[in-house]
Amino acid sequence: MSHLRSMILISPELLLVLTALSLLLLDFLVRRKGTLAVAGAAGIFISAYVNYRLIKVGMTGGTIQGMFAFDGYANFFKLIFYTTLLLTILLSVKYLAIEKISAGEYYSLLIFSTVGMMIMAAATDLLMLYLGLELMALSTYILAGIVRGDRRSNEAALKYFFLGAFSSAFLLYGITLVYGLTGSTNLREIASALHSLKLAESPITMLSLIFFITAFGFKIALAPFHMWAPDVYEGAPTPVTAFMSAGPKAAGFAVMGRVLFDVFGGLQMQWSIILEPLAILTIAVGSIIALSQTNIKRMLAYSSIAHAGYALIGIVIGTPEGFVSTMNYLMIYMIMNMGAFGVVIMLKREGFSGENLEDYAGLAKRHPVASALMLVFMFSLTGIPPTAGFIGKFYIFMEAVYAGHIYLVIIAALFSAVSAFFYLRVVMYMYMKEPAGDISLSTSKTAGIALAFAVIMVLVIGVFPSLLLNFARNSFFG
Amino acid sequence: MTLPQLFFAYFAVSITGLSLLVVTRKNPVHGVLWMLVLFVHIAMLYLFLNAEFLAAIQIIIYAGAILVLFLFVVMLLNLRVEETERRFQWSWPVGLVAAGGYAVSLIFILVKITVFPQPGHYTIEKMQTEGNLMIIGKVLYTKYLLPFEITSLILLVAIIGAVVLTKKKQE
């Protein structure tokens, strides 16, 4: 009986795996590659619907062997992953045709990566956490290098692979130390053993905490561990970049939150002290280096580093409410970032990368709708009301002020003002420069749907912020 | 010092020495061969824990299969050119400082330990009564079935990746 229950609890993931496998087979049977995207999206919708039904029938709170939890926390992050995956697939259709990427493998790797993220968010055992992370990472390494003829894509895949493997080693070292101390890999058992054996003060616990932060820091590209991000984001195919900057980052935050709060909850003071300078450094490095970028993918890479810093503030505070604001921020960042990358993807056409800032000169004259969308996303990334980006930053800063981290908020707000320069520079190019030549967009219906969804969500969350925030709060506490 | 401790000390010291040899050899083939010796020594550590199955697997899979693959790759890559260039040398001092700092802090930490860590569920006595293979089989297919299945997904992704990254371009 418990086996059946386990199967039901993990059925959303199983359905996704099934979808990925059938896409691999369908690739041989179907000539029109657009069909694959539709089939994939259908599978994802079914999986998401099953997940929704499971929540509705009250399966929340169930676990499989204490390793895999079906709880509100995981479900909130799963919503981020599902949305990222769907938007990425919608934005990829045209890009795959232009770059001649084999669609079946591409979509199934995207789905496998998402399954890995879902396992990470749901993992309550370090073993599961590690395996989910590897499943996610391995798929993204391949996706980064899927344009085999492109040297930059090769470089991105190799760099990502080596540094990812390096960070996995840190994670494993941390897990080993904790296992050696407590004799368990289960998060709850570790926490109780640390408490009952008074190991929380042990230097080895501190050491493993540092290893965990290092490993997760690599995944979410925190400042001293961010070196891979710009090159990888620039070299990878743009839809993959969009996917990487939203999904795996949120997954990294998901495991970081769970490990820090559930296992090292008693060491909150210590990890706040470690993370606080990292947050400031991350925001500073991301915002300052982005100023000098002329390649828009690189600029968005540094922007994504800076945003990881803002989201980290919610963890630095160390309160549950603080982490709720981080979850809120991650959802908002995902939507606006996917939107911004969506416009970048549309500028790509055969033999033209459309990645340079100059390519945006005078875009508003030729394509007013695309420019208006980019305008909204850039405003949102800067954090200007009434967009969602403002709400995300506002709640994080508010929680930080409540917790007494006022100077942290001042620094973050200052860098947020600095970031306005490079975001609004794109807007300036679009609206105030004369077009250099003829600009044609690779528009498609699917990309249109994705962008429309993103822009609507950015504005809706911006105007009705409590919808998302209450959802995040209920997921975390409920 | 008892005899098992003496043996353990030998293996611990030689594993450290061998790992250093692996990363310091200029000729990659020599590095891989030292790694082979290293893996055999690690297998012996499993024997100390009465995990004879793991020891055998360590030798058969790592020393037998994976290292042969390593050797193939190293020989295919024609690394003679890399050997003569000093391109990987600059990072030595950085690595040395990082590793040295870590070693020093680890020694300080180990000296200060007062609470002794918990033994895991599978002690040497339990291994002796039930048998290593029996325990691994039971645990792998009951408690750790889900992680085991996820490993299969990871391998599948690796296979897909190998196909995607090497197949001929379709015309």
Side-chain angles (χ1 to χ4, degrees), chain A residues 220-272:
Chain A
I220 58 183
L222 288 186
F225 321 116
H226 69 285
M227 289 86 84
W228 59 272
D231 291 339
V232 174
Y233 283 18
E234 187 192 345
T238 318
V240 176
T241 311
F243 180 76
M244 281 194 297
S245 64
K249 191 165 282 221
F253 270 103
V255 288
M256 195 169 189
R258 213 193 272 270
V259 167
L260 289 185
F261 279 92
D262 283 6
V263 177
F264 297 110
L267 288 165
Q268 189 260 317
M269 284 292 284
Q270 281 86 337
W271 50 258
S272 285

Side-chain angles (χ1 to χ4, degrees), chain A residues 241-314:
Chain A
T241 311
F243 180 76
M244 281 194 297
S245 64
K249 191 165 282 221
F253 270 103
V255 288
M256 195 169 189
R258 213 193 272 270
V259 167
L260 289 185
F261 279 92
D262 283 6
V263 177
F264 297 110
L267 288 165
Q268 189 260 317
M269 284 292 284
Q270 281 86 337
W271 50 258
S272 285
I273 291 170
I274 299 172
L275 288 177
E276 193 160 355
L278 293 189
I280 295 173
L281 192 67
T282 307
I283 296 172
V285 165
S287 308
I288 293 174
I289 303 185
L291 293 176
S292 61
Q293 302 306 321
T294 52
N295 180 303
I296 194 143
K297 274 165 85 177
R298 247 184 131 72
M299 187 274 269
L300 284 172
Y302 281 106
S303 123
S304 124
I305 293 171
H307 281 282
Y310 295 120
L312 191 66
I313 293 178

Side-chain angles (χ1 to χ4, degrees), chain A residues 112-113 116-117 120 127-141 161 164-169 171-172 219, chain B residues 150 153-154 157:
Chain A
F112 276 126
S113 181
M117 292 181 224
M120 280 166 83
L127 205 57
M128 285 289 283
L129 189 158
Y130 174 71
L131 289 174
L133 190 136
E134 283 299 314
L135 180 57
M136 169 202 86
L138 204 58
S139 319
T140 12
Y141 303 149
F161 174 67
F166 192 51
S167 75
S168 290
L171 180 61
L172 284 176
K219 288 287 167 234
Chain B
I150 293 168
L153 281 185
I154 295 178
V157 167

